[in-house]
Amino acid sequence: MSNRDGLRERKKEATRQAISDVATELFVARGFDNVSVAEIAEAAEVSRMTVFNYFPRKEDLFFDREEESRQILKAAFAERPSGEAPLITLRRLVQRLADRAHPFAKFTDATAKFWRTVAESPALSARAREMRDELIDDLATVLAGAIKRPLADADARLAASMVVTAVTVAYAEGLREHKARRSAASTRETFLQIMERSLSGIAIMLKGTPYA
Amino acid sequence: MSNRDGLRERKKEATRQAISDVATELFVARGFDNVSVAEIAEAAEVSRMTVFNYFPRKEDLFFDREEESRQILKAAFAERPSGEAPLITLRRLVQRLADRAHPFAKFTDATAKFWRTVAESPALSARAREMRDELIDDLATVLAGAIKRPLADADARLAASMVVTAVTVAYAEGLREHKARRSAASTRETFLQIMERSLSGIAIMLKGTPYA
DNA sequence: CTAAATATTATACTGAGTACAAATTTATGG
DNA sequence: CCATAAATTTGTACTCAGTATAATATTTAG
């Protein structure tokens, strides 16, 4: 029998999902810090060790989509018209994410609750910050790759840091507007406006480099 | 006897300093994560509880100057010529820190070692990121205060995030140059140049607001 | 069916951080 | 100087995340 969809693989995926599901349920009900890994294991009818087997850190039970942002960046630069300035590619990417209401540019009660849970937990907040820094590194690498530099240079690191900061601020302001009961169109407009302002400023910072 | 400089107060300060000193020594010698609080307590001839009494978290034993950046910001805006755009105040502040080789703009073997120790410890890195976010909040508040807004608004938050990001990147590049054995003048120039480029871009982002 | 490969579990440990009460040290008022 | 109040230090016992390791159970392959 094949390795890929044998009984073993199916069971693994099932237990992983079961653990993740039960953990999410407990987290939203009682808050991340008020649920122990032992409780999750018990509720998922699995041993504590098995939980750590699938999710090395407790925070991994909450943040399941770490890989996704990396893929989005790669895809955007893979499809980009040759010769287009990397900063323009990013501008188009942001527009598209907003148009398609992608989770990274969506403001609903669900996303608000998600980030409130994060804000209420020091451990989750720390992990979110860590992921933000990892994203900066990834973006710097992708940017350098786009202009055929093997390694990220100082300009790429500046660009990446600034763009990720811009998204962070724009997203936070979008969430803020949502919580203030503004319309979806309004929050989307706020998000895009901050991104536009930021990107035009970043373009100035990168004038004379191959990135802008 | 007065409360301020009685025996009790002096002893408290002495033990606090003793704990901090012995901890720093152990950390630089063996790395933050390879030294337990119990060891520090033993080396400082004090109980484990006393260590936690003075330093609620282990990371506090390493980062002793959290308050300082806050004070520098406040002072800079307290002394600023009335009517000066806040972003100009910050530009002058950066120049002055570089001129005076303040720790936040200084690149020596000591600072390099300090930040290497941070980079080698997940816990210290996490704390550094947390402090960075706290600094952003503080700066946003100070910026809003400078134009007589009681609360930080979206523009202040954007400005603060971008400025702190700029300093972070500029400082990191300065450290990088130092590690590559470039001259002190060169690292200083790199730092200032990144700050200048960044601030001119940030000025564009803030055009039409009272901050730029 | 057997044996190798892999997943799960039990157990025991380290280390940070907390709660709380007991013991010690310093301050203060007579 | 003494007694007592106030503050500091300590001991003890706990919770919880995370790691190491060996034993056990389950799936796969021959």
Side-chain angles (χ1 to χ4, degrees):
Chain A
M1 216 165 240
S2 144
N3 241 356
R4 216 177 294 281
D5 69 350
L7 175 57
R8 180 167 282 170
E9 291 300 315
R10 270 182 291 126
K11 274 206 171 180
K12 270 185 76 170
E13 198 45 42
T15 43
R16 183 198 176 85
Q17 197 59 49
I19 293 168
S20 176
D21 288 350
V22 80
T24 301
E25 199 174 339
L26 289 172
F27 289 155
V28 300
R30 292 165 36 202
F32 185 80
D33 295 324
N34 301 318
V35 179
S36 72
V37 174
E39 278 181 285
I40 295 164
E42 194 177 7
E45 289 176 308
V46 99
S47 90
R48 207 179 73 103
M49 275 305 303
T50 299
V51 176
F52 280 117
N53 224 9
Y54 285 98
F55 305 92
R57 293 193 251 136
K58 191 186 170 189
E59 292 84 2
D60 299 335
L61 285 161
F62 191 81
F63 291 117
D64 258 11
R65 321 181 56 175
E66 200 188 348
E67 189 60 21
E68 195 175 338
S69 45
R70 210 170 315 215
Q71 295 309 323
I72 290 178
L73 284 181
K74 269 200 198 155
F77 279 90
E79 301 163 4
R80 129 189 116 112
S82 71
E84 182 182 62
L87 210 58
I88 304 297
T89 310
L90 288 174
R91 171 182 270 131
R92 288 198 298 110
L93 172 58
V94 166
Q95 267 291 345
R96 206 178 41 180
L97 291 178
D99 288 346
R100 302 190 181 171
H102 184 276
F104 295 162
K106 190 167 71 174
F107 309 97
T108 64
D109 289 349
T111 56
K113 172 151 198 160
F114 179 87
W115 288 107
R116 184 155 45 81
T117 304
V118 173
E120 279 167 359
S121 159
L124 285 184
S125 298
R127 181 70 183 116
R129 279 189 284 263
E130 190 183 6
M131 286 167 59
R132 203 169 64 194
D133 276 10
E134 288 168 359
L135 180 60
I136 290 175
D137 280 353
D138 288 342
L139 178 53
T141 303
V142 169
L143 284 173
I147 60 160
K148 301 185 177 59
R149 301 254 168 93
L151 261 58
D153 58 12
D155 292 332
R157 286 189 288 267
L158 179 62
S161 298
M162 288 294 168
V163 169
V164 172
T165 299
V167 174
T168 303
V169 173
Y171 189 83
E173 296 302 331
L175 267 189
R176 205 176 275 260
E177 291 230 340
H178 175 80
K179 282 192 257 193
R181 301 260 172 246
R182 311 293 294 271
S183 74
S186 168
T187 60
R188 182 179 174 282
E189 212 39 58
T190 296
F191 174 80
L192 283 175
Q193 195 213 316
I194 294 176
M195 284 310 301
E196 276 305 311
R197 281 167 61 191
S198 299
L199 287 172
S200 63
I202 295 170
I204 299 292
M205 298 180 197
L206 298 174
K207 205 178 332 190
T209 78
Y211 297 105
Chain B
M1 216 165 240
S2 145
N3 243 357
R4 217 176 297 279
D5 68 350
L7 176 58
R8 179 167 283 171
E9 292 300 315
R10 270 183 289 127
K11 275 208 172 178
K12 270 186 76 172
E13 199 44 42
T15 43
R16 184 199 176 85
Q17 197 58 50
I19 294 169
S20 176
D21 288 349
V22 80
T24 301
E25 199 174 340
L26 289 172
F27 289 155
V28 299
R30 291 165 37 203
F32 185 81
D33 294 324
N34 301 318
V35 179
S36 73
V37 174
E39 278 180 285
I40 294 165
E42 194 177 6
E45 290 177 309
V46 100
S47 88
R48 209 179 72 104
M49 277 303 304
T50 299
V51 176
F52 281 116
N53 224 8
Y54 286 96
F55 305 93
R57 301 214 211 126
K58 190 186 171 188
E59 292 83 2
D60 299 335
L61 285 162
F62 191 81
F63 292 116
D64 257 13
R65 323 181 53 175
E66 199 189 346
E67 189 60 21
E68 195 176 340
S69 46
R70 211 171 313 216
Q71 294 310 322
I72 290 178
L73 285 181
K74 269 198 196 155
F77 279 90
E79 300 162 5
R80 128 189 115 111
S82 72
E84 182 182 62
L87 210 57
I88 303 297
T89 310
L90 287 175
R91 171 181 273 133
R92 287 197 299 111
L93 172 57
V94 166
Q95 267 291 346
R96 205 178 41 178
L97 291 179
D99 287 345
R100 303 189 182 173
H102 185 276
F104 295 161
K106 189 168 70 174
F107 309 98
T108 64
D109 290 348
T111 56
K113 172 151 198 160
F114 180 88
W115 288 108
R116 184 154 46 81
T117 304
V118 173
E120 279 166 0
S121 160
L124 284 184
S125 298
R127 182 69 184 115
R129 280 189 282 264
E130 190 182 6
M131 286 167 59
R132 202 168 65 193
D133 276 11
E134 288 168 359
L135 180 61
I136 290 175
D137 279 352
D138 288 342
L139 178 53
T141 303
V142 168
L143 283 173
I147 61 159
K148 302 185 177 62
R149 302 256 167 91
L151 262 57
D153 58 13
D155 292 331
R157 285 189 289 267
L158 179 62
S161 298
M162 288 294 168
V163 169
V164 172
T165 299
V167 174
T168 303
V169 173
Y171 189 82
E173 297 301 332
L175 267 190
R176 204 177 277 260
E177 292 230 340
H178 176 80
K179 281 191 260 191
R181 301 260 172 245
R182 312 292 296 269
S183 73
S186 169
T187 59
R188 181 179 175 283
E189 213 39 58
T190 296
F191 174 80
L192 283 175
Q193 195 212 318
I194 294 176
M195 285 310 300
E196 275 306 311
R197 281 167 62 191
S198 299
L199 287 172
S200 64
I202 295 170
I204 300 292
M205 299 180 196
L206 297 174
K207 205 179 331 193
T209 78
Y211 297 105

